Amino acid sequence: MATQAEIKEFRDGIFALRTRRFGTVAEIMIKHLYHMSESHNLAFDKYSETKERVEIKFSTVMKKNDDKIRDTNVIDQCKKANLANRAMESSDVDNGIAFDCNIQQVKPNEFEVLYYGLFFADCVEIYKMTKDQVLNCPGYSNKQHRGNEGEGQFHMNQDSIGIHRKNYLQKKVSYEELYELFESIHKKITA
């Protein structure tokens, strides 16, 4: 059993990961929670138990900070960028704290199911949509970058999270549960 200090270090490490490395953590989590297999195809991430093509997209949730960095506030802005000052608890959403997470590089032609979600400071919320639900998701844009065909995005923020929680939330996972999951995977592989 991990200590609270180990769990905090683990969670903080997840928040410090960027892009592909962060995405890999989310993919391993979903793969083992939902008993998926590898796709061996760069177009999508995993196969479900029923052999549906699965895409996996997650984001860390940080309090919004629109202040520009200037000569007069550079120290303050660096301090505010600290994980301890910006990471949001899942309950902060209900208290009206602003955030904006972008679920991006979504290619609906390449999957049947999208698992997506949010890493909050206290838990991970996992959501699931079909390809058709993604295409009809409020705020979904099929244009991520100029000239990009077949790749879109949608934002999850204080205005839209209620829709996602009501219609697509599958599971909440604590960091203790996630740590134990990854620890059990490690033990199986190295046994």
Side-chain angles (χ1 to χ4, degrees):
M1 182 64 108
T3 66
Q4 286 304 307
E6 288 172 315
I7 300 297
K8 182 183 179 309
E9 181 181 29
F10 168 67
R11 188 235 23 222
D12 292 354
I14 291 171
F15 273 76
L17 295 172
R18 292 292 161 245
T19 58
R20 185 68 244 145
R21 292 171 61 80
F22 171 74
T24 300
V25 170
E27 289 173 16
I28 292 169
M29 174 184 70
I30 295 298
K31 173 184 172 182
H32 289 279
L33 284 175
Y34 296 97
H35 312 289
M36 295 185 184
S37 59
E38 298 297 332
S39 73
H40 303 293
N41 183 326
L42 294 176
F44 58 96
D45 296 317
K46 305 287 178 225
Y47 281 111
S48 71
E49 287 184 295
T50 59
K51 298 300 177 201
E52 292 175 302
R53 297 173 301 161
V54 175
E55 187 66 5
I56 300 167
K57 301 288 183 185
F58 278 76
S59 182
T60 55
V61 184
M62 308 289 259
K63 294 172 188 161
K64 202 168 181 178
N65 182 359
D66 289 333
D67 288 346
K68 291 187 176 172
I69 297 176
R70 298 181 187 77
D71 297 350
T72 56
N73 72 356
V74 66
I75 291 173
D76 184 52
Q77 288 300 302
C78 289
K79 288 179 181 177
K80 285 182 178 177
N82 181 313
L83 170 64
N85 296 328
R86 289 198 58 218
M88 283 181 59
E89 301 277 327
S90 57
S91 61
D92 287 343
V93 172
D94 302 325
N95 298 325
I97 296 178
F99 74 99
D100 187 24
C101 292
N102 190 12
I103 305 299
Q104 59 186 354
Q105 297 177 328
V106 178
K107 302 173 197 83
N109 291 335
E110 302 293 342
F111 64 83
E112 283 82 43
V113 178
L114 172 67
Y115 280 87
Y116 64 106
L118 301 173
F119 279 77
F120 285 99
D122 59 326
C123 69
V124 182
E125 291 186 1
I126 300 170
Y127 303 87
K128 177 183 170 186
M129 278 190 207
T130 65
K131 170 185 178 169
D132 291 337
Q133 289 169 323
V134 170
L135 294 171
N136 294 304
C137 174
Y140 176 74
S141 169
N142 65 356
K143 302 276 192 268
Q144 184 165 332
H145 303 291
R146 191 173 11 176
N148 240 13
E149 296 284 327
E151 185 174 311
Q153 64 183 344
F154 59 93
H155 289 261
M156 293 182 72
N157 54 42
Q158 65 279 0
D159 297 327
S160 67
I161 193 166
I163 293 166
H164 293 274
R165 283 179 169 170
K166 179 180 176 190
N167 298 301
Y168 308 111
L169 183 63
Q170 297 295 299
K171 176 181 273 216
K172 287 185 181 185
V173 178
S174 71
Y175 285 97
E176 291 86 359
E177 292 168 323
L178 188 57
Y179 191 97
E180 288 172 13
L181 174 69
F182 290 162
E183 202 169 52
S184 73
I185 294 165
H186 176 77
K187 286 178 182 175
K188 282 182 198 172
I189 292 171
T190 59

